[in-house]
Amino acid sequence: MFDGQFYPNQPIQFMDGLLNPAIGAQQYTTFFSEYTDGVQPSDWTSRWAAGSTALVQTVSGSLAGKALRVTKTAAARQGISWDRVPSTADIEVLMRLRAIEAWANNENLMGIIGRGSGASGAENGYRVAPTGITTTTQFSSGLNKYVSGTNTNLGTASSGPSPNLAVNDWIWVRFRVNGTSISRKMWHDGASEPGAVDETVTDSSVAGAGWVGISQVSANPNIEIDFFSVALNGDTALGP
């Protein structure tokens, strides 16, 4: 809880613990508990195609009592930007999410976008894509990019760690875009964060600053996100 004092080189913790910008406004963190139930958060903006609704809901088992529930309505390339975060090229995002219904093979859970820009059909950005599968550990992740609307996979997708993922299991995803380096990491809630990333690739196709947020491309499954943290300019995204 914010005690009215500001301490140099320490995070600033505002009431409700929802925006933690370190000195220099390098850190942005939300548990979604500052937002009104039943509506899309006021500073999150739908981008690109229509394909889901994203409403804050009271959610049992969430970190702070609420979560952003994304109900998918179509297999469309949709993004939702967090407008509190300034347009930036180099970002790191830490997100906790879960699927709240079953998925078919290769159905996207919910991706993270960095350097997002463009209109529907002309999208730009780098993306990590946590995905439900029906083999191995039942979930995987990979990297891809959008350049003027063309999707290209980057690197090689890999299965998530054991045990098998089930509906309502929370997982963590860390995604970093720094210069031409793009990396990803994914692990089960309750396990220690791995020291090494799952994959790092090098790419220079999307070089400019852009918005940061989430992205979905499949009609199922519906998901919930209860923690979303962004660090800028080479910093590490804070955990809860």
Side-chain angles (χ1 to χ4, degrees):
M1 180 178 294
F2 178 51
D3 63 3
Q5 300 296 315
F6 297 90
Y7 301 96
N9 302 317
Q10 297 296 319
I12 302 171
Q13 185 94 16
F14 284 85
M15 188 69 71
D16 292 333
L18 301 166
L19 172 62
N20 293 341
I23 301 301
Q26 300 294 301
Q27 300 280 350
Y28 298 82
T29 300
T30 182
F31 296 86
F32 296 97
S33 55
E34 80 269 43
Y35 297 114
T36 302
D37 276 13
V39 297
Q40 183 165 312
S42 56
D43 55 356
W44 290 69
T45 298
S46 296
R47 307 276 184 170
W48 302 341
S52 67
T53 60
L55 309 179
V56 174
Q57 304 289 353
T58 297
V59 172
S60 177
S62 60
L63 290 173
K66 292 188 180 183
L68 184 68
R69 181 176 298 160
V70 181
T71 302
K72 300 176 182 178
T73 57
R77 191 178 292 172
Q78 183 187 30
I80 307 175
S81 63
W82 190 16
D83 302 336
R84 186 182 297 172
V85 180
S87 179
T88 309
D90 293 338
I91 57 95
E92 184 175 284
V93 177
L94 177 64
M95 175 175 74
R96 194 175 94 134
L97 76 155
R98 68 177 180 179
I100 57 173
E101 61 180 5
W103 53 83
N105 195 42
N106 288 326
E107 286 192 316
N108 179 230
L109 302 181
M110 180 57 63
I112 303 170
I113 287 279
R115 299 185 187 174
S117 68
S120 181
E123 305 90 348
N124 300 297
Y126 288 115
R127 182 172 180 267
V128 63
T131 299
I133 57 177
T134 55
T135 59
T136 63
T137 57
Q138 308 297 303
F139 70 127
S140 67
S141 71
L143 298 167
N144 65 289
K145 64 180 177 181
Y146 299 139
V147 179
S148 300
T150 298
N151 174 67
T152 304
N153 293 332
L154 299 171
T156 303
S158 59
S159 296
S162 297
N164 289 0
L165 187 70
V167 173
N168 292 322
D169 287 348
W170 293 99
I171 58 172
W172 290 91
V173 180
R174 189 179 291 275
F175 174 58
R176 185 175 182 87
V177 181
N178 195 52
T180 61
S181 177
I182 304 100
S183 63
R184 61 177 175 87
K185 184 192 299 187
M186 185 169 66
W187 67 99
H188 285 276
D189 185 55
S192 297
E193 176 176 356
V197 299
D198 295 331
E199 182 178 41
T200 299
V201 303
T202 299
D203 190 84
S204 59
S205 302
V206 186
W211 52 264
V212 178
I214 58 176
S215 164
Q216 70 94 12
V217 296
S218 62
N220 296 290
N222 298 335
I223 63 94
E224 291 173 343
I225 301 167
D226 72 345
F227 184 79
F228 197 84
S229 176
V230 182
L232 310 182
N233 301 321
D235 279 5
T236 299
L238 300 175

